[in-house]
Amino acid sequence: MKLFSPSIWIYGIMALMLVKQFDLSAADPALSETHPKRAIFQQFKMGQRNVKTILAEEEIVWIGSSSGLIKYSVNQDDYHFFNNHNGLRANGVFSIDRIDDKHLAIGTYGGGLAILNETNNDWQLYNVPDGLGDPFVYDVLTTKNGDLWIATWTGVNRIKGGDLKDKTAWELHTVASTKGGLPNDWVYGLEEGLDGTIWLATEGGLARFKDGVWDNWSHKEGLGADYELVKEAAKSSRDPGSFSRHHAKQKKEQGLVGVKTAYNPNYVVSMAITEKGNVWVGTWGAGLSHFDGSKWKTLTDKDGLPSNHIFMLHYLQGFLWIGTSRGLVKYDLTTKKMITYTRADGLFADSVFSMDTQTDGSLWIGSFGGVSHIVSFPDK
């Protein structure tokens, strides 16, 4: 299949425009006086779009937004744009994951799973008739044993051995099929922990699949902060239950009908796992929760977070990067020190939905309306 046409190429350049590249301290003497060392960064404008996912590789940065997929060649400053005219079935891109050195898995909003073979520039598309749980794919995980897991909004698929073309390898796990082991069919994230443990972020709590056994944890076990602790911070947040029948149903099922703000402690939006196997999860208005395998601890705005809505988590070498609705936090897991970065420090916007680290150590950060490439991010 042809990768792109001239018209798509033009649209891609319009969708991702280089806005600035400068050292902020040199640009604003007042800021320089307060913070002599600031981030050197680039900003890329994306229009009225959320940048939901980023995969930063050595020479290529893949950017997924609600308008399509962008392949950005860093050294050449070159763009390729993909949408439902040249490879995808839907323009909304939720996830970008590398399966192997030749294939990328693209999870889309309503268009199923798209696999790009970079060797021959061919696309393979998978949807419900092929065994996929749902056309809304939120995450893809290739495990150490070669299995492929696919997070959808109707359960999670497991393809044993990772061979998508083998119909007998496909499994679908739902609340019903696991007898409640999976707490909710809306699965948002996947991570592999120690000893092949699979962790799943869902709208009904955190789930674990280990040695063929399902377990899960929700607010009643300690996930997320109590409403009384965060209600003041949540007052200005728009309640999804007020405009979404799905979210209204979830709040009713979880006993949250009386809560009229954007708060659901069971709604796990983001997840990261350290090399020691500790699990960190971000919730919808109930803060950042940590699970050490036996007990929970939750951090909120009372502990220094700028917001209790945790959209993104990215773990790297002892630091947990936390994307919130009010800035990006660098959290030192050893010293417990938190540093918050906002637009004033080089972010395109304060709402941070995605992030990845390139091989040179620089950070690519996705927000509403654009992407920031942070070359250096000194401590304040």
Side-chain angles (χ1 to χ4, degrees):
M1 182 179 293
K2 191 176 181 180
L3 276 171
F4 59 91
S5 64
S7 61
I8 297 298
W9 171 272
I10 293 171
Y11 186 77
I13 294 177
M14 292 175 63
L16 183 68
M17 298 177 62
L18 179 61
V19 180
K20 297 176 181 177
Q21 180 177 6
F22 58 88
D23 184 332
L24 190 56
S25 64
D28 190 333
L31 285 175
S32 179
E33 185 176 336
T34 306
H35 299 295
K37 293 183 178 180
R38 304 293 292 194
I40 301 173
F41 65 91
Q42 296 171 300
Q43 288 184 343
F44 298 85
K45 188 176 181 181
M46 295 284 293
Q48 299 297 302
R49 306 293 182 182
N50 288 330
V51 180
K52 299 293 291 184
T53 182
I54 294 177
L55 176 63
E57 301 186 309
E58 186 172 2
E59 297 180 359
I60 303 295
V61 175
W62 299 88
I63 301 170
S65 77
S66 49
S67 64
L69 173 69
I70 294 170
K71 178 183 180 181
Y72 175 50
S73 300
V74 179
N75 296 334
Q76 286 75 34
D77 193 23
D78 196 10
Y79 309 84
H80 296 266
F81 188 75
F82 308 93
N83 62 13
N84 60 359
H85 295 294
N86 65 332
L88 302 176
R89 280 200 182 120
N91 292 336
V93 175
F94 279 166
S95 66
I96 307 168
D97 298 274
R98 181 158 293 284
I99 298 177
D100 54 38
D101 59 352
K102 297 179 181 179
H103 297 87
L104 283 177
I106 313 299
T108 72
Y109 189 89
L113 178 68
I115 304 295
L116 172 62
N117 185 329
E118 294 182 281
T119 301
N120 56 17
N121 295 332
D122 184 37
W123 290 88
Q124 294 293 323
L125 306 177
Y126 298 88
N127 217 312
V128 176
D130 304 296
L132 195 63
D134 193 276
F136 293 83
V137 175
Y138 218 85
D139 199 7
V140 177
L141 171 69
T142 301
T143 62
K144 297 181 182 69
N145 69 356
D147 290 350
L148 190 69
W149 290 74
I150 307 169
T152 83
W153 283 355
T154 309
V156 60
N157 283 105
R158 177 191 184 190
I159 295 86
K160 290 185 176 181
D163 187 355
L164 289 162
K165 296 181 180 179
D166 181 2
K167 297 292 185 182
T168 65
W170 284 71
E171 299 176 349
L172 177 62
H173 302 281
T174 63
V175 173
S177 71
T178 62
K179 299 180 180 180
L182 185 67
N184 193 283
D185 283 337
W186 281 44
V187 183
Y188 287 94
L190 299 163
E191 293 285 350
E192 183 175 12
L194 300 178
D195 303 322
T197 301
I198 306 300
W199 295 93
L200 305 93
T202 84
E203 195 162 336
L206 178 70
R208 180 181 68 186
F209 180 77
K210 181 179 181 181
D211 299 327
V213 177
W214 291 89
D215 295 296
N216 65 74
W217 296 263
S218 64
H219 183 56
K220 62 183 180 181
E221 284 85 36
L223 170 63
D226 291 337
Y227 182 62
E228 289 300 315
L229 184 65
V230 298
K231 65 180 182 179
E232 290 300 317
K235 278 185 176 179
S236 61
S237 302
R238 188 182 181 192
D239 178 16
S242 65
F243 58 88
S244 166
R245 286 184 294 177
H246 168 80
H247 289 293
K249 179 183 176 183
Q250 295 283 28
K251 295 190 82 166
K252 182 178 180 181
E253 291 176 349
Q254 297 176 19
L256 298 169
V257 175
V259 178
K260 302 300 182 182
T261 58
Y263 167 84
N264 187 339
N266 299 310
Y267 188 171
V268 180
V269 184
S270 53
M271 178 170 52
I273 299 180
T274 72
E275 69 275 1
K276 295 181 180 179
N278 291 329
V279 181
W280 292 86
V281 297
T283 70
W284 186 256
L288 173 68
S289 291
H290 169 233
F291 184 57
D292 64 5
S294 60
K295 60 183 182 297
W296 287 90
K297 181 179 180 180
T298 297
L299 303 175
T300 69
D301 60 310
K302 303 293 192 301
D303 302 292
L305 290 172
S307 168
N308 295 316
H309 289 87
I310 313 299
F311 299 143
M312 182 281 304
L313 293 174
H314 177 71
Y315 174 75
L316 182 68
Q317 298 176 347
F319 292 92
L320 186 67
W321 292 88
I322 308 164
T324 81
S325 60
R326 295 179 180 173
L328 176 68
V329 178
K330 182 182 181 182
Y331 182 37
D332 189 324
L333 296 183
T334 301
T335 66
K336 309 303 179 186
K337 180 182 179 182
M338 288 187 187
I339 302 174
T340 298
Y341 302 98
T342 63
R343 290 183 63 188
D345 301 289
L347 298 184
F348 190 92
D350 288 342
S351 292
V352 176
F353 300 112
S354 54
M355 177 177 168
D356 201 9
T357 308
Q358 208 167 4
T359 51
D360 62 1
S362 62
L363 308 177
W364 291 80
I365 302 162
S367 307
F368 174 74
V371 176
S372 302
H373 179 207
I374 308 297
V375 178
S376 63
F377 229 164
D379 292 346
K380 294 184 180 181

